[in-house]
Amino acid sequence: MAIPFIDLQAQRRRLGEPLEAAILKVVRSGAYIMGPEIGELERQLAEFGEAPFALSCANGTDALVLALMAFGIGRGDAVFCPSFTFAATAECAPLVGAEPVFVDIDTDTYNLDPASLEAAIEAVKREGRLAPKAIIAVDLFGQPADYPAIAAVAARHGLKLIADSAQGYGCTLNGRHPIHWADMATTSFFPAKPLGCYGDGGAVLCKDERLHDILVSLRVHGQAVKSDLGGRDIGHDPRYLNLRIGTNSRMDTLQAAVLIEKLKIFADEIRLRNEVSDRYAQGLSDVVKTPKVIAGGRSVWAQYTIETPDRDGLAAHLKAQEIPTAVYYPIPIHKQAVYAGFAKAPGGLPVSEAKSGAVISLPMHPYLEPQVQSQVIEAVRSFHGKGA
Ligand SMILES: *Cc1c(COP(=O)(O)O)cnc(C)c1O
């Protein structure tokens, strides 16, 4: 039997009848939009992620856009972000009229390099064309970025710090979640993410109540929220008082119901993912470059990504044995034609460019059984001329 890259069906079997009952309950209730599961999920997301406030939204891309909108970021503003990431990390900036400025990454963790970040901010300030406004740090492949160092840079330059934790919801650094350092953290519940729903979904975590209110408003067309009105009676439904340009980015109640069930096993799944990554490290670290997690960090292992000189050869070798692999990411964002015109850190992004030619991700999910995983490990070893 072919080995799945991510085994969502194994998880579905574990979740069993209660998951299907939760879905059916929503179907029967008729509360398809903003049903009671939405508020319940938001409470649970805030609790699990140790954030004062959580807002659910339509997807992880919107979560980033909503974050930038809530900070009032737009035309003439610079948003600093890595290039070795999924396009959405950078895309949110032009979507609100701002510009991404691409920063290089650390060679071991693939996350933002604080030195390249500092240099990029200084360069943008010197040039004077754009106003530095925010940093988006990514928890790539599930591990936390270097938040203490990045938050220090943000504080020094008066910039907002957003954690793009689409791959890292649940990850910690010294026991703390990214929102401990960031002004906002965003995530995605795309099915393949560590915490995924059965369609699209996303969330924004934040620490400030007024900011949360603004996100609530932006999510539904800039409608007036309680703190906008200060107890004033406007004589009609405040939903039809539109105080800001917002959007429609509600999460479906059905997806919230799915996520509530999945959250019940999420901590255990993170533990299982760490067991899988430990087994890979034991079996492979003498033949390929295995992942290195930042000191004090705990990854949720969205991906298990290794490096080897003949990456494409390894992919073909594994494919011949029905072992799927994936390359995240074959082209850094700054090399994509539509992003090529945006600014880059001084000295360019040599690490990001080198990594895109060397990385390859192996099957990774909480239900990867040791015997199956051994097949993957043996196949990688045999390609490198080292048998069992
Ligand atoms: C998946 C992902 C997103 C976007 O999430 P969607 O829910 O697909 O919109 C943003 N950033 C990163 C790093 C991602 O991996």
Side-chain angles (χ1 to χ4, degrees):
M1 201 187 73
I3 297 172
F5 189 67
I6 296 176
D7 194 347
L8 291 175
Q9 292 307 324
Q11 184 198 50
R12 201 180 60 76
R13 284 192 296 275
R14 175 177 177 186
L15 289 164
E17 204 269 329
L19 174 83
E20 290 171 12
I23 293 170
L24 196 57
K25 186 173 169 226
V26 177
V27 172
R28 289 181 172 156
S29 79
Y32 307 130
I33 295 290
M34 298 306 274
E37 285 83 359
I38 292 289
E40 178 55 30
L41 174 69
E42 289 173 341
R43 271 189 296 283
Q44 292 189 18
L45 288 174
E47 190 184 331
F48 193 96
E50 294 183 355
F53 303 97
L55 176 106
S56 62
C57 63
N59 54 67
T61 307
D62 274 9
L64 286 163
V65 170
L66 288 166
L68 295 182
M69 288 170 86
F71 286 132
I73 291 168
R75 196 180 311 213
D77 294 338
V79 176
F80 300 85
C81 67
S83 174
F84 190 66
T85 176
F86 184 63
T89 306
E91 188 183 36
C92 61
L95 278 175
V96 300
E99 292 190 25
V101 175
F102 293 108
V103 173
D104 213 2
I105 51 168
D106 176 80
T107 188
D108 285 324
T109 65
Y110 311 115
N111 280 331
L112 265 191
D113 172 6
S116 174
L117 174 64
E118 177 76 46
I121 297 168
E122 293 289 356
V124 167
K125 280 185 165 173
R126 264 197 311 278
E127 194 202 27
R129 186 177 63 86
L130 297 170
K133 283 289 168 68
I135 299 163
I136 302 179
V138 175
D139 300 324
L140 200 73
F141 304 149
Q143 75 152 306
D146 186 355
Y147 285 106
I150 295 166
V153 174
R156 192 153 59 241
H157 293 279
L159 307 185
K160 299 294 183 196
L161 176 55
I162 298 165
D164 177 355
S165 212
Q167 301 179 16
Y169 180 74
C171 76
T172 54
L173 181 58
N174 302 323
R176 294 182 184 277
H177 292 258
I179 191 67
H180 174 74
W181 294 275
D183 297 291
M184 282 198 214
T186 65
T187 194
S188 163
F189 304 117
F190 182 80
K193 310 282 179 176
L195 180 62
C197 58
Y198 285 175
D200 278 309
V204 187
L205 309 185
C206 74
K207 298 192 273 209
D208 179 276
E209 186 165 15
R210 175 65 181 155
L211 207 49
H212 175 256
D213 281 356
I214 291 170
L215 289 165
V216 169
S217 168
L218 290 169
R219 173 176 62 183
V220 186
H221 309 293
Q223 67 184 17
V225 292
K226 265 204 194 111
S227 60
D228 286 325
L229 301 176
R232 239 171 342 120
D233 181 7
I234 55 168
H236 65 83
D237 189 334
R239 274 184 296 186
Y240 304 109
L241 177 62
N242 306 94
L243 294 178
R244 40 189 80 80
I245 305 291
T247 183
N248 169 15
S249 188
R250 292 174 296 235
M251 175 187 282
D252 292 345
T253 311
L254 273 170
Q255 301 304 343
V258 169
L259 287 165
I260 288 169
E261 293 305 309
K262 287 206 183 189
L263 265 171
K264 292 177 185 166
I265 60 166
F266 188 48
D268 188 55
E269 289 189 333
I270 294 173
R271 181 185 63 78
L272 291 169
R273 284 174 183 274
N274 274 279
E275 286 185 10
V276 172
S277 76
D278 286 348
R279 291 199 295 264
Y280 269 139
Q282 255 165 35
L284 293 176
S285 50
D286 61 327
V287 290
V288 295
K289 184 180 188 318
T290 51
K292 195 169 157 202
V293 175
I294 189 172
R298 186 166 193 247
S299 179
V300 297
W301 297 105
Q303 303 297 340
Y304 192 87
T305 303
I306 60 172
E307 287 180 44
T308 191
D310 184 11
R311 183 263 310 279
D312 296 334
L314 175 61
H317 179 78
L318 295 181
K319 189 170 178 213
Q321 299 177 50
E322 291 190 73
I323 298 171
T325 59
V327 172
Y328 304 113
Y329 293 90
I331 311 174
I333 309 301
H334 72 282
K335 289 284 194 185
Q336 307 271 4
V338 288
Y339 290 93
F342 295 117
K344 292 175 277 294
L349 285 78
V351 182
S352 304
E353 288 168 20
K355 295 302 179 188
S356 59
V359 292
I360 180 167
S361 301
L362 302 178
M364 164 52 83
H365 59 85
Y367 308 101
L368 186 54
E369 289 161 356
Q371 318 85 276
V372 178
Q373 193 176 358
S374 294
Q375 282 174 250
V376 180
I377 290 169
E378 286 318 315
V380 175
R381 295 189 68 83
S382 70
F383 179 72
H384 293 89
K386 297 212 180 174

